[in-house]
Amino acid sequence: MVREFYKGAGSGDTGHTRRHVLWLLGRVLLGILCVLVWVPLGPSMPNWGLDPSWMLGLNQAVADGLVFGRDIKFTFGPYSSVYSQLYHPSTYGMILIAGGILAAGYGWALFRAFSRGGRDMFLAGVVLALGALSRDALLLSYPVLYVLAVQKVIVSGQKGRKAEADKRSEAGQLLALAISSAGLAALLLVKGSIFPLATIAFLAVLGLSVAKRSHAAMVTIAASAILGSLLLWILAGQPIGAFPGYFAGLATVISGYSEAMAVSGRSLDLVIFAAIGLSALAIALFESADRGTRLLRGGILTLFGFVAFKAGFVRHDWHATIAAGCAVVMLAICLSFVRNRVWALMPVLVAALFGWYDVERHNQQIPAPYLMLFKAKQVLADPFVTAARLIEDGSYLSATYARTLAELNRQFGFPIFEGRADVYSFWQSDLIASGSSWHPRPTLQSYSAYTGALARANADYLRGSRAPDRIAFRITPIDRNFPTLADGASWPALLTRYAPYEFKENFLYLARTEEGPREPLTELGRKRAVIGAYQPVPESRYPIFVEIEVRKSLFGKIADLFYKPRNLTLEVRTATGATKSYRYVSGMGREGFMLSPIVANSTELAELYAGDEARDAKKVVAVRLVAEKDMFPEWLQDIEIRFYAVNLPHRPKVSIRFAYDPVVRQDVATGTRHQNTDACLGGVDVLNEVYPAPRRVDIGAILSVDGWLAVPGATRSEPGTVYLILTDSAGQTTWVRARRSPRIDVKALFGDPFGPDLGFDAYIDPSAFHGQYEMGIAWTNGDEWAECEWPAHLLTFPDADAVSKREVSSAAPQPHAGRF
């Protein structure tokens, strides 16, 4: 092609020359974009929240020499920062190397798959742009492009190589094939859930090279994939003998995902995905090609679509954007197969992009345009800004990292814990930011210990010699799960081998004690039951621990493999006669969890440790599992329930202070300020320790709120004061002042992680409230005030006669202190 370019230039064919100049320029720009997308040249810094916690945690695990597959069992591997783009001073060098290999391999596969002039270059740009906006779409598209590229190389190699230049070209292609194969193997060390797609892609190209008798390609593919993955594994400080165990651990993690993470969403998202994906496959099916090519293309694209479907719609929240992005990538790839009149099909691509944007707009918590601009800035601007600052100061990244940890540590103010420390159920980034010696359980975040094997491994860790000396415990269930289900198998060890010593920022601090009871559990009985039938809970003066064995039917196993099974519901009846319903995960419940009393937050956990008599509203007297009835049931009817008493030793009671500003009237809060009618930007993230915050919640021992709020203006800035507005059924309002908190994640999104605090939180004694209230948010700032037009949260407080008296600390609240 380069020779043709110079030939055209010498002939005076300016139009031909111009096209080739544009072609070369386009390739260079796409190559640069490929590097910027894959290599974290402008890395992000640690952050607050669930996902940022595992991102920093996995980097810290590599830095501390923990072994993946043994010490760490998670969806991601030691090179997770290629996905998260997170900076860590101990891992950044190896991440740059892995990112460079992936950029080179992906770039070669992209250029080989899209190799027919300007229209293919445009389609390749669409694929890269979507990859920049969706890391999952980027990773998942690698195996597909790799297969298509290798197929072109092997098939073109069958047409004869007559000239010496062709032989040199073959050597270059083999080198590129080696790098791309090593990149495919590297993907497995980035995100383990890509294992099925990457493995089948690897086997497909090996089979193709054998079928076409391309021995050089076969040896290159096999050797580079194996050696590349092993060398990267060693570079990450992982022992070579642990390599097989890493993949065995991935199989355990992948096996329980569909049931544990199943969340339903908007049906239109599925329709949009199906319309785009089927259009793509139809184009590929009807485009002329030999039978073998059609089978290979159709097979890998169908598998790609299936994996994207699972990635997007098992957990149907923002994950739906993964499926939509992958569908558009699939369409762009299939359009490259069309030889004639491809521009006539461009309206289909435009319509697909509009559909993808609608999915983004509906499912992202942050407004889609703003989020896209933020991601574009990360790829296109941050690397150059970082490079300029590194030229001025070589320690810029490490200094920013240290400053970020200091800012992050203000959120909860963890001390430097003595000895080994861990945190439940997530919040690892905050613990690491404190400077404590973090020693995590194998599945580092509790909601991910969703199979029996993972739950047992975490429980065994607490009973072993490497158990943490200090634990910061905050109950934060997700997806309406029963509060004690996550890491439920660990509770007997937590209750008998640890004792509380402080309560701070919604966390109960636990210290490891001397050996607990020899037998922490005493069996109370086993019962055979059926789904849908209540079973009485045995009487006991001790807390009740339960194991529930329930199995999927054949249809349920098929649903689990190809989509997701329907959620089971755990219904409990309390001593007051009230019925409460929660989501239930069978893999967690099989290994056991605390059933009675219901412990929904860290305050109630402190009461449990102290041996306080459980209120009737928390004592469970009967329990049952409920499954949706259907023509094809997904769960076998017979179940087994095993009840145990927890031999709970007496622990000292810790002081819990409900410190908050006295409630105020609206006129006192707003004063003479004028009302601002602009929209608020923000939201409530955690409500009564449930993440993400539900719209309806029953309030027990506390009312706990975590959220963020930015006020309108030329630039978004901090609110002066944030209030919770509680409105009862009669329309009477109570305003309660919340505390401002850092929320570095939100500040980073606005481009200034060290700017004004944009978070708010509150920890409120609910004893003064009874019945139903709607909770809204308001702010005052200078001479303005506004009530946010967000959907209200419906809170149900206990009736006055149902509220039992309990002692709380008499320590006086600090003025305007929020919680403490």
Side-chain angles (χ1 to χ4, degrees):
M1 185 62 72
V2 174
R3 290 197 301 272
E4 292 176 2
F5 166 69
Y6 284 113
K7 180 179 177 181
S11 66
D13 185 358
T14 56
H16 187 71
T17 301
R18 188 182 302 111
R19 285 194 298 273
H20 279 83
V21 167
L22 292 175
W23 182 84
L24 285 175
L25 181 60
R27 301 266 287 199
V28 169
L29 290 176
L30 285 178
I32 293 172
L33 180 59
C34 191
V35 172
L36 295 177
V37 168
W38 277 104
V39 186
L41 297 175
S44 58
M45 290 293 161
N47 219 321
W48 176 92
L50 187 150
D51 286 336
S53 285
W54 66 251
M55 291 175 183
L56 178 57
L58 294 183
N59 274 276
Q60 190 64 42
V62 175
D64 291 342
L66 299 181
V67 178
F68 283 72
R70 186 192 71 191
D71 302 324
I72 296 292
K73 298 181 180 183
F74 203 64
T75 310
F76 289 84
Y79 287 87
S80 62
S81 277
V82 172
Y83 175 91
S84 66
Q85 304 282 281
L86 190 72
Y87 174 81
H88 190 287
S90 299
T91 64
Y92 189 52
M94 72 180 213
I95 297 302
L96 290 178
I97 292 172
I101 293 171
L102 284 159
Y106 189 88
W108 173 80
L110 186 74
F111 290 145
R112 288 295 302 181
F114 295 92
S115 58
R116 290 191 299 190
R119 64 90 187 265
D120 270 17
M121 196 173 302
F122 169 76
L123 295 172
V126 171
V127 171
L128 264 181
L130 286 166
L133 296 174
S134 171
R135 302 297 295 175
D136 293 273
L138 181 71
L139 267 65
L140 290 173
S141 65
Y142 192 121
V144 180
L145 295 173
Y146 172 78
V147 169
L148 298 177
V150 173
Q151 185 264 341
K152 283 190 176 183
V153 168
I154 292 178
V155 170
S156 64
Q158 305 303 309
K159 297 180 180 178
R161 294 176 286 275
K162 299 179 181 179
E164 186 66 27
D166 292 322
K167 294 181 180 180
R168 290 197 299 270
S169 176
E170 179 189 11
Q173 292 287 10
L174 287 176
L175 177 61
L177 181 58
I179 295 173
S180 192
S181 299
L184 182 69
L187 281 180
L188 304 179
L189 304 182
V190 175
K191 188 173 185 180
S193 57
I194 207 170
F195 178 79
L197 180 60
T199 301
I200 291 176
F202 176 71
L203 295 176
V205 297
L206 272 183
L208 180 65
S209 61
V210 171
K212 296 295 184 180
R213 298 181 180 179
S214 181
H215 302 298
M218 178 184 66
V219 172
T220 300
I221 291 167
S224 56
I226 295 172
L227 290 176
S229 58
L230 287 175
L231 289 174
L232 287 172
W233 180 257
I234 294 170
L235 179 64
Q238 301 294 299
I240 195 71
F243 195 54
Y246 169 67
F247 293 102
L250 288 179
T252 304
V253 173
I254 293 171
S255 66
Y257 179 83
S258 292
E259 180 199 346
M261 294 290 107
V263 173
S264 298
R266 186 178 66 155
S267 299
L268 181 59
D269 297 337
L270 284 160
V271 174
I272 291 172
F273 170 78
I276 300 172
L278 292 176
S279 298
L281 291 177
I283 292 171
L285 180 65
F286 290 106
E287 182 55 31
S288 60
D290 62 84
R291 182 181 178 186
T293 299
R294 287 201 308 272
L295 285 174
L296 185 63
R297 287 175 176 175
I300 193 65
L301 285 167
T302 300
L303 181 61
F304 173 56
F306 170 70
V307 174
F309 168 76
K310 287 275 288 186
F313 297 120
V314 168
R315 187 164 187 80
H316 190 161
D317 47 17
W318 69 264
H319 288 76
T321 63
I322 298 172
C326 287
V328 179
V329 168
M330 186 191 303
L331 179 61
I333 291 172
C334 291
L335 286 173
S336 72
F337 302 155
V338 180
R339 298 188 179 184
N340 301 310
R341 300 194 304 272
V342 68
W343 293 109
L345 294 171
M346 283 300 134
V348 178
L349 181 61
V350 172
L353 287 169
F354 274 108
W356 161 77
Y357 178 79
D358 184 71
V359 176
E360 286 274 349
R361 181 187 59 80
H362 178 79
N363 290 283
Q364 296 286 9
Q365 288 184 319
I366 305 298
Y370 188 87
L371 188 61
M372 290 178 187
L373 286 173
F374 176 75
K375 291 181 178 180
K377 169 184 168 293
Q378 282 185 311
V379 172
L380 300 176
D382 286 358
F384 300 101
V385 172
T386 300
R389 291 181 175 173
L390 282 172
I391 291 172
E392 297 176 0
D393 178 9
S395 64
Y396 165 71
L397 284 175
S398 58
T400 304
Y401 176 83
R403 186 182 177 190
T404 302
L405 290 187
E407 182 73 6
L408 183 59
N409 192 40
R410 291 199 303 115
Q411 186 73 40
F412 298 133
F414 284 148
I416 298 179
F417 291 104
E418 296 179 10
R420 300 179 297 269
D422 199 5
V423 61
Y424 285 71
S425 61
F426 46 91
W427 317 105
Q428 283 76 20
S429 57
D430 300 272
L431 180 64
I432 294 168
S434 72
S436 298
S437 178
W438 179 55
H439 283 249
R441 55 206 181 276
T443 301
L444 66 159
Q445 295 192 322
S446 297
Y447 69 89
S448 286
Y450 44 60
T451 69
L454 296 175
R456 282 195 303 273
N458 279 4
D460 291 342
Y461 171 73
L462 284 180
R463 292 189 288 265
S465 59
R466 297 172 58 247
D469 300 298
R470 296 289 188 271
I471 291 175
F473 202 106
R474 180 179 181 182
I475 299 173
T476 318
I478 67 169
D479 302 336
R480 295 178 43 254
N481 288 350
F482 192 76
T484 57
L485 197 58
D487 260 329
S490 297
W491 275 62
L494 286 167
L495 290 172
T496 58
R497 294 173 180 263
Y498 289 84
Y501 65 91
E502 188 175 356
F503 190 99
K504 181 182 178 184
E505 301 290 342
N506 282 17
F507 284 90
L508 185 63
Y509 292 174
L510 307 176
R512 194 178 185 190
T513 63
E514 297 298 325
E515 200 72 18
R518 184 169 297 178
E519 295 295 336
L521 299 177
T522 299
E523 186 170 337
L524 298 177
R526 300 177 177 225
K527 295 185 179 181
R528 294 282 182 179
V530 294
I531 285 182
Y534 271 109
Q535 292 299 313
V537 176
E539 283 286 340
S540 174
R541 64 189 183 93
Y542 291 108
I544 301 294
F545 185 84
V546 66
E547 298 170 351
I548 303 179
E549 186 81 32
V550 57
R551 294 175 296 164
K552 296 183 182 72
S553 66
L554 176 60
F555 183 77
K557 293 177 180 178
I558 294 172
D560 187 72
L561 178 63
F562 290 102
Y563 185 30
K564 58 186 175 187
R566 294 179 181 176
N567 295 140
L568 284 168
T569 298
L570 180 73
E571 284 190 2
V572 296
R573 185 179 296 154
T574 67
T576 62
T579 299
K580 300 178 181 293
S581 297
Y582 302 89
R583 186 171 172 270
Y584 179 80
V585 179
S586 65
M588 293 176 169
R590 185 181 305 117
E591 296 304 314
F593 60 98
M594 275 287 303
L595 176 66
S596 180
I598 301 172
V599 182
N601 49 66
S602 303
T603 306
E604 293 172 352
L605 178 59
E607 294 174 348
L608 180 67
Y609 268 111
D612 289 358
E613 185 176 349
R615 287 161 284 157
D616 286 346
K618 294 294 182 178
K619 291 181 66 174
V620 177
V621 297
V623 61
R624 70 169 179 171
L625 287 183
V626 179
E628 291 188 38
K629 295 182 179 179
D630 205 340
M631 183 180 297
F632 301 102
E634 297 176 357
W635 299 93
L636 297 178
Q637 289 296 300
D638 294 332
I639 64 175
E640 182 179 359
I641 306 179
R642 298 178 288 273
F643 295 100
Y644 303 86
V646 181
N647 299 320
L648 187 66
H650 178 73
R651 303 298 190 193
K653 188 169 185 176
V654 298
S655 175
I656 299 174
R657 294 179 294 162
F658 298 100
Y660 61 95
D661 279 350
V663 296
V664 299
R665 299 192 312 272
Q666 177 180 341
D667 59 340
V668 175
T670 58
T672 59
R673 298 178 176 94
H674 67 270
Q675 186 172 4
N676 189 319
T677 57
D678 290 344
C680 302
L681 187 60
V684 175
D685 297 310
V686 184
L687 178 56
N688 256 43
E689 303 310 296
V690 180
Y691 180 90
R695 288 296 172 203
R696 295 172 176 267
V697 65
D698 291 336
I699 307 301
I702 61 166
L703 169 57
S704 177
V705 182
D706 292 83
W708 67 276
L709 175 64
V711 304
T715 58
R716 298 287 177 177
S717 60
E718 82 281 8
T721 307
V722 179
Y723 291 92
L724 308 183
I725 304 178
L726 302 179
T727 306
D728 64 17
S729 56
Q732 298 296 315
T733 62
T734 302
W735 285 46
V736 181
R737 180 176 177 140
R739 183 190 71 164
R740 294 259 303 282
S741 62
R743 285 305 296 267
I744 190 174
D745 57 324
V746 179
K747 295 195 289 185
L749 193 64
F750 281 104
D752 185 5
F754 310 116
D757 293 344
L758 297 179
F760 66 86
D761 49 31
Y763 193 78
I764 302 166
D765 185 348
S767 59
F769 303 96
H770 309 291
Q772 288 194 338
Y773 286 76
E774 288 188 349
M775 186 187 78
I777 305 295
W779 57 267
T780 61
N781 197 26
D783 61 353
E784 295 182 309
W785 78 275
E787 182 174 351
C788 298
E789 297 295 329
W790 301 341
H793 294 269
L794 184 61
L795 313 180
T796 302
F797 293 88
D799 293 332
D801 57 357
V803 178
S804 63
K805 296 181 180 179
R806 63 183 187 277
E807 294 182 359
V808 296
S809 171
S810 60
Q814 299 299 315
H816 310 301
R819 284 190 288 188
F820 299 102

